[in-house]
Amino acid sequence: MVASVSPPYTNADWMLGYQSLHTEGEYWIEATDGSIPPNLTGTLFRNGPGQLDINGHRYGHPFDGDGMISAFTFKEGRIHYLNRFVRTPEFIAEQKAQKILYRGVFGTMKPGGWLANIFDLNFKNPANTHIIYHGGKLLALWEAARPYRMDPLTLETLGTETFNGSLAKGQSFTAHPKFDPNTGDLKAFGVQTGPSSKLSLFSITPQGQFSETTYTIPGFAFLHDFVWMPNYSLFFQNPVSFNPLPPLLGLKTAGEALQLDPNAPTRIIGCHQSGQFFTIEADPGFIFHFANGYEDPRGHLIVDLIAYDTFPPLGTGDYREVDFASVPPGKLIRYSLDPEHNTVSRQVLLDDRSVEFPVVHPSKVGGAHRYIYMATIHAPGPNAPLQGLLKFDTVTGSYETYSFAPIGYVNEPIVVPVPGSTEEDDVWVLMVVFDAKQQRSFLAIFEGSGITQGPIATAYLEHHIPYGLHGMFTPEVFRSFG
Ligand code: CO
């Protein structure tokens, strides 16, 4: 167990991780502790809001921040770091003007009050949510628009990705695609929402062959993530309503107009690969992220996810002055669906501490997994900032943790299989941690079978990386190591 640290965090320290990083650079990381595994070979790409202000004018919400890609290249025990912003047309225009020109979906209004924002639905694409490498393409993702393609060596922005014209202008593309571990195909979706929603499922082979299946589902659909398994894709339609009038009139941001109806059920939509779909109603709740899902031998669909009892409201105040203890905690929940009888059961796996960013071994995606790795708060108790790594064992129901409190604040863990390994937890877990004392970030490398021992190696950056969102590891190395 973790020794108690008192206090494990301060809001002032946590807030420091939301300072913009305005610079781009590249260098070999020289300051390291421990031993970096010589057989850890490949590139870790991460995305997140790198700039949270322009010229001192803060965006209203970090989800509106400018997407910045970090690339950590690992080879022969050395690590190279490179960061670049995604140069969308909106980013280029705002950098030139040095002021906020666009509305952000989540919290940013243009200066000038409602008159400047009325009827302006020209939202900025911050390209800040995820970065994936597939079929030779590096793609920066933001769920309400098409991906941006980047050069995997230089991180130069190459332009909008349409998959040979398959994605029309205005088509959304999820920031949470999955990789089929058996075929290498990329599984993704896009949603066009209104009184009913058009849900498009995309499958893209590593060679770039694109196929699409569409479903028309009732109601407004706010779908951030999904569950992919070979026969089904599952969506949890949160009981969220959207009143488009205030944002249209410039009175509210689109994010503020989202409301959770605490009495309405969550609707689970199961899209069978045949093109048919079923819906099952479940208890209300709000879900951003799924760990994984699979079909068990009975044909039941098992889904592990992080759920909140209520939707965290997007207020109008400064997002950094949050009272953590009043924010609903993220709980690890297992749903079991029986598509034949349209029934669902729900089991709480972990609720003594808030967790987020759940991931499993990449070869287990869509199949039965045992371990889930997550970011966690320091210790059991009320909600708090994410400061540690947690490994949950779904077979025993037990978990192990390591905490970086009181100085460290963590990002999403990334699971990297050890080459030639056969055990599910014979992995490295990579975590970017913000050190509030030094005001810089470091990369921690854990062994999956020894989380409580702490990182086996740590690589210290020369600066901080603002709190990020998602990323992935590829065994490919794009840089030459002389
Ligand atoms: Co996400």
Side-chain angles (χ1 to χ4, degrees), residues 129-130 143 175-176 224-225 288-289 356-357 412 469-470:
T129 313
H130 198 355
E143 66 195 19
H176 278 285
H224 177 63
D225 193 2
F288 281 112
H289 294 132
E356 247 303 343
F357 297 122
E412 169 197 59
L469 292 166
H470 303 292

Side-chain angles (χ1 to χ4, degrees), residues 33-46:
D33 277 340
S35 90
I36 298 161
N39 54 339
L40 172 53
T41 306
T43 310
L44 167 67
F45 292 108
R46 288 199 44 77

Side-chain angles (χ1 to χ4, degrees), residues 115-166:
L115 213 61
N117 289 282
I118 191 167
F119 299 133
D120 182 358
L121 290 181
N122 186 17
F123 291 112
K124 168 181 174 176
N125 174 357
N128 65 6
T129 313
H130 198 355
I131 177 94
I132 58 161
Y133 184 72
H134 179 256
K137 293 175 180 174
L138 182 67
L139 303 173
L141 305 179
W142 181 68
E143 66 195 19
R146 297 181 293 191
Y148 271 90
R149 188 167 172 191
M150 317 280 292
D151 181 302
L153 170 63
T154 63
L155 297 184
E156 181 195 345
T157 304
L158 302 175
T160 310
E161 176 63 40
T162 65
F163 300 105
N164 290 321
S166 301

Side-chain angles (χ1 to χ4, degrees), residues 229 293-302 336-337 368:
M229 47 186 92
Y294 60 92
E295 205 170 334
D296 76 4
R298 298 166 299 169
H300 292 188
L301 310 180
I302 310 299
S336 303
L337 313 179

